[in-house]
């Protein structure tokens, strides 16, 4: 999902309710460091809720400060075939009946516009957390060209960018979604691991589902509707506070010409938990 995605090559390895100003310090890094290997089972009863947006309303601005979300990547980088848009009226964001709707549509010039939310601003103010469980409950669009995602980025990008893509659904490749872990090094080196999560053969991305990731000191584990689906070993770059992003992208290929216009991503909630 990171802006240099087009140039990466995959190498298999065995190897995110608070406003801006909330930080992981409220829990203490010593507690996070005690996470250990928490196992494949998911039990949120043994965790503390640290972030929650039920989208009864939406606190967002183009760049902050003072809002829960900003409407761009903190590093000011777009990706894919749609530009991420400053919120105005009901576009690209609308909340209704406790649900967030993100719209992707062509503008008057025929260019794709859509929406992204990030939980920290360009100065790093906002919500981030080291270790724990992050979850989105959402209904995704389907069809060629659509590219909805829920992902995390590490706050410290001085030497590398740590990225965890909980879900990327490519409408060009129906039947499954992708979960990917990246480290993008400043010198050009790239490390990654991924899995194709084959769940849409018996269900649909347009149904409401939960998509989650649990991060401890040993593993990054992915969950679909609360069930464990894949894990990969943690790299050192992922042992840091991670912030949350969610967006509705459009694939930058010929399929964007036939993508449903408009298309919608519906998000019921986003939550994060810390280990007790």
């Amino acid at each position: 999902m990171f802006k240099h995605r087009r140039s990466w090559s995959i190498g298999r390895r065995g190897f995110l309710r608070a406003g801006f100003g909330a930080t992981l310090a409220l829990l203490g890094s010593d507690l996070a460091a005690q996470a250990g290997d928490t196992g494949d089972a998911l039990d949120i009863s043994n965790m503390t809720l640290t972030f929650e947006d039920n989208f009864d309303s939406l606190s967002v601005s183009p760049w902050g400060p003072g809002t829960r979300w900003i409407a761009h990547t903190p590093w000011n980088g777009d990706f894919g075939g749609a530009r991420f848009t400053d919120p105005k009226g009901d576009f690209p964001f609308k909340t209704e009946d406790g649900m967030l709707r993100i719209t992707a549509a062509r503008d008057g010039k025929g260019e794709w516009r859509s929406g992204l939310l990030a939980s920290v601003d360009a100065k790093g103010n906002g919500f981030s957390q080291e270790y724990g469980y992050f979850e989105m409950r959402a209904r995704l669009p389907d069809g060629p060209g659509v590219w909805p995602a829920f992902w995390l980025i590490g706050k410290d990008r001085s030497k590398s960018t740590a990225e965890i893509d909980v879900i990327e659904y490519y409408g060009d490749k129906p039947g499954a979604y992708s979960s990917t872990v990246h480290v993008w090094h400043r010198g050009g080196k790239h490390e990654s691991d991924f899995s194709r999560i084959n769940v849409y053969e018996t269900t649909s991305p347009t149904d409401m589902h939960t998509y989650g990731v649990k991060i401890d000191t040993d593993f990054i584990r992915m969950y679909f509707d609360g069930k464990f689906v894949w894990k990969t070993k943690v790299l050192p770059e992922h042992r840091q506070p991670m912030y949350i992003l969610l967006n509705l992208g459009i694939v930058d290929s010929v399929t964007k010409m036939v993508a449903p216009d408009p298309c919608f991503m519906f998000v019921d909630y986003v939550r994060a938990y810390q280990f007790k």
Side-chain angles (χ1 to χ4, degrees), residues 98-227:
M99 193 85 67
L100 169 68
R101 185 188 74 188
I102 306 177
T103 301
R106 289 188 179 95
D107 62 17
K109 298 180 180 179
E111 299 295 326
W112 279 99
R113 304 286 177 177
S114 189
L116 175 146
L117 296 177
S119 68
V120 303
D121 63 18
K123 296 183 179 180
N125 300 313
F127 177 81
S128 63
Q129 179 172 288
E130 183 176 8
Y131 305 130
Y133 178 65
F134 304 77
E135 183 178 83
M136 174 185 75
R137 185 171 188 263
R139 220 161 20 99
L140 309 178
D142 202 2
V146 302
W147 184 16
F150 174 54
W151 47 308
L152 312 177
I153 292 287
K155 284 187 70 175
D156 183 1
R157 298 179 61 238
S158 59
K159 296 180 180 179
S160 63
T161 296
E163 177 179 348
I164 300 174
D165 300 326
V166 185
I167 173 174
E168 293 179 273
Y169 176 60
Y170 295 93
D172 296 353
K173 302 175 182 179
Y177 66 87
S178 297
S179 291
T180 311
V181 172
H182 299 280
V183 178
W184 309 86
H185 296 274
R186 289 290 165 261
K189 180 182 176 183
H190 173 223
E191 300 173 84
S192 70
D193 196 12
F194 84 107
S195 181
R196 186 116 163 111
I197 312 299
N198 296 300
V199 295
Y200 297 146
E201 295 174 351
T202 56
T203 183
S204 171
T206 62
D207 296 331
M208 193 67 74
H209 297 289
T210 59
Y211 304 90
V213 59
K214 185 172 65 169
I215 310 166
D216 59 33
T217 55
D218 297 308
F219 287 97
I220 296 169
R221 293 174 169 91
M222 303 293 182
Y223 298 84
F224 175 76
D225 285 342
K227 297 179 180 178

